[in-house]
Amino acid sequence: MAQVPQTFFDALAVRTWCGLALETLGRAREEIDAINVYPVADGDTGTNLYLTVESAVAAVEAVFAGHAAASGPDGPTLADAARAMAHGALIGARGNSGTILAQLLRGMAQVLAGDDPAHADGQGLRLALRQAADSARRAVAHPVEGTVLTVASAAADAADGARGDCGTVARAAYDGARAALAATPGQLPVLERAGVVDAGGRGLVAVLGALVETFTGERARGMAGGAGTGLSRGHHARGEPAAGPVPVEGVLDECADGPAAVPGQEGPAFEVIYLLEAEDGAVERLRERLDALGDSLVVVGGDGLWNVHVHVDDAGAAVEAGIEAGRPHRIRITHFGAGDVHTTGAERPPRERAQRAVVAVVPGEGLAGLYTEAGATTVLARPGEPPASGELVQAVRRAHAREVVLLPNDAELRHTAAAAAEQVRTEGIRVALIPTRSAVQGIAALAVHEPDRRFDEDVVSMTSAAGATRYAEVTVAERQSWTMAGICQAGDVLGLIDGDVAVIGADVAETAETVLDRMLSAGGEMVTLVLGDDVPEAVADQLEGRVREGYLAVDTVVYRGGRQGALLLIGVE
């Protein structure tokens, strides 16, 4: 984390702001979730904003790491950092508010990266905040006042009237946003009935508070401990105006069991979000089609990459519209569910916690199905898109158990999983992290899982099974590289055993056979093969035959993993 305060808006200030915003949202996340009643009372706005900013932080850190690795005298430019921030937020945007926040950051980046300046002063920050508010409003099909859009516009208006350095402008924007947030219940009846302020606007106030801290070194007033601005039910019930900003804790005491119920609120059953590679003209047609299908439509992005968010009853039609417009990927479909306030107007009854659950990261849809059938809660890790700690935290909460066994199934995810485990332990959930390095080790652990055993005994048994499973993968080299087995060229087939390249070949089946022979030379009783989409069944047949003919009393089991990145995963127990 860079030291604050920052004098100008430069690359270091972008990095500092993103880091402070993530910390602030981390403190305020649960409070924001609890006051989330619009557009859907699903209690996840704070979490979605946190995940969106977490993705932005990762992108900015990657830019700084890249420059450090190059050992150059200079770090990234303001344009580099601002564009990374916007891109990271775009690809990681979650939910309605997260998608709008991504567009706000993109609007700021358009100004901050303009003409590639070394840094921006107070005037540049004013222009950036105005562009952010205007571009976010344009991205929403039907803007509604009393939401994060109103708060963003008020922040930009207040900044317009400020004269001075970045700290002065940031503080004016924060104060304007905070005042606008306090007024949101008077603009949106659903907030007024629930006695809360807008959750998305509350999140933006937190982000702007972090901006103040970036340039002044002081935490913005009203932000201590993550508290922000709320509306007292007592004031409003008597028809009295709130005397001023009220800490959110005062609101939470009266809705501690979850989001406030909003009588008569109805709407579509699904939230659909996806990234879309498409031309501008195709996106305009897509907006029209999705607008006719549902509501809460937000399309943000540009330069060929867009993030699409919409609430619909026909999720398939929303995805098909994206396919017609371009190439959708990272598709997420959430069913608001029977008993959701969004569809019934009644509070969801509290669900009894299970005693124990398993949460696992899996690399493909096929394995996700296999793990789910075995009773695990899964997090899908798409090729090149590892899950963030916030996603793992969400999955643990979704498992809704007192005890959770966490399987990262990737050596590079161990620290991410550890951070997630630490976070949920503060919520009273007992978590054991088994450091599985491959999905095949996770399969072995899940095979011996017995939820009726004592927790410690179950964890020891699963850890032992995972540790006794050697793992390998067969993949294709993307570029020339030095490896433990020699120099490989782009397009070579690589066989990795326990994470290291052991075989370089030209044929998938032959390379896999060599890998199997080396692994089984040390013994084994069970071979697990997980085939990716691009591997024909004939390869599995050939490998099964190899094991059957060459290794007596060794069984083989084959699964289809789907789009899992590697061509083939191999486990030997």
Side-chain angles (χ1 to χ4, degrees), residues 91-112:
I91 64 174
R94 304 298 177 89
N96 192 71
S97 294
T99 307
I100 293 173
L101 178 60
Q103 187 67 6
L104 287 167
L105 296 180
R106 177 179 171 81
M108 292 190 71
Q110 288 173 334
V111 173
L112 296 175

Side-chain angles (χ1 to χ4, degrees), residues 474-514:
V474 177
T475 188
V476 176
E478 296 181 356
R479 63 184 67 86
Q480 184 186 63
S481 180
W482 289 89
T483 77
M484 296 288 289
I487 301 176
C488 71
Q489 305 296 328
D492 283 348
V493 179
L494 305 180
L496 290 80
I497 300 177
D498 294 336
D500 293 323
V501 176
V503 181
I504 300 175
D507 179 79
V508 173
E510 291 179 2
T511 302
E513 283 187 345
T514 304

Side-chain angles (χ1 to χ4, degrees), residues 190-531:
V190 66
L191 301 178
E192 186 177 36
R193 289 193 296 270
V196 296
V197 296
D198 178 66
R202 166 68 183 91
L204 180 58
V205 168
V207 172
L208 290 173
L211 188 64
V212 173
E213 188 174 356
T214 297
F215 292 114
T216 67
E218 301 173 1
R219 184 171 294 178
R221 65 178 182 276
M223 296 305 295
T229 307
L231 175 70
S232 163
R233 286 178 184 265
H235 277 298
H236 197 79
R238 295 190 298 270
E240 302 171 8
V246 180
V248 158
E249 288 91 339
V251 178
L252 298 186
D253 291 341
E254 301 187 43
C255 56
D257 291 333
V262 185
Q265 183 176 335
E266 297 179 356
F270 296 95
E271 177 185 60
V272 178
I273 304 175
Y274 50 80
L275 289 179
L276 178 71
E277 296 176 14
E279 300 296 329
D280 291 1
V283 170
E284 286 305 313
R285 294 189 294 273
L286 175 65
R287 289 180 196 267
E288 295 176 4
R289 181 166 177 186
L290 292 179
D291 193 25
L293 285 174
D295 59 28
S296 297
L297 174 61
V298 186
V299 181
V300 304
D303 302 321
L305 182 63
W306 309 80
N307 191 304
V308 179
H309 171 281
V310 68
H311 294 173
V312 294
D313 281 321
D314 190 343
V319 175
E320 288 174 6
I323 293 172
E324 292 181 6
R327 189 179 78 87
H329 52 107
R330 294 188 69 172
I331 300 168
R332 300 184 184 92
I333 300 174
T334 303
H335 185 256
F336 292 122
D340 195 311
V341 235
H342 182 63
T343 54
T344 69
E347 281 202 59
R348 289 169 285 188
R351 181 162 59 99
E352 182 66 24
R353 283 189 179 274
Q355 181 60 34
R356 190 174 308 158
V358 176
V359 173
V361 180
V362 291
E365 295 87 347
L367 282 179
L370 174 67
Y371 272 74
T372 301
E373 288 176 9
T377 298
T378 61
V379 178
L380 188 61
R382 297 168 179 83
E385 299 173 5
S389 62
E391 291 180 79
L392 301 186
V393 169
Q394 275 192 316
V396 171
R397 292 188 183 125
R398 194 166 70 246
H400 203 63
R402 297 180 182 88
E403 302 168 338
V404 173
V405 179
L406 186 55
L407 306 175
N409 290 341
D410 186 333
E412 295 184 0
L413 285 178
R414 183 173 180 178
H415 295 301
T416 300
E422 284 299 320
Q423 182 172 343
V424 294
R425 284 180 186 130
T426 65
E427 302 173 13
I429 302 172
R430 190 179 184 188
V431 181
L433 171 61
I434 298 179
T436 49
R437 300 181 178 184
S438 170
V440 292
Q441 288 188 323
I443 291 173
L446 201 54
V448 299
H449 168 55
E450 291 186 16
D452 293 332
R453 273 193 301 220
R454 289 180 56 243
F455 185 63
D456 292 339
E457 292 177 356
D458 197 28
V459 171
V460 168
S461 177
M462 295 177 72
T463 302
S464 178
T469 303
R470 298 191 69 194
Y471 65 95
E473 68 176 68
V474 177
T475 188
V476 176
E478 296 181 356
R479 63 184 67 86
Q480 184 186 63
S481 180
W482 289 89
T483 77
M484 296 288 289
I487 301 176
C488 71
Q489 305 296 328
D492 283 348
V493 179
L494 305 180
L496 290 80
I497 300 177
D498 294 336
D500 293 323
V501 176
V503 181
I504 300 175
D507 179 79
V508 173
E510 291 179 2
T511 302
E513 283 187 345
T514 304
V515 168
L516 263 177
D517 288 341
R518 293 194 183 185
M519 297 177 76
L520 288 170
S521 65
E525 299 175 356
M526 170 72 75
V527 171
T528 300
L529 304 174
V530 184
L531 278 65

Side-chain angles (χ1 to χ4, degrees), residues 47-57 88-89 92-94 98-99 101-102:
T47 299
N48 287 336
L49 289 169
Y50 180 88
L51 292 174
T52 301
V53 174
E54 185 177 49
S55 182
V57 167
R94 304 298 177 89
T99 307
L101 178 60

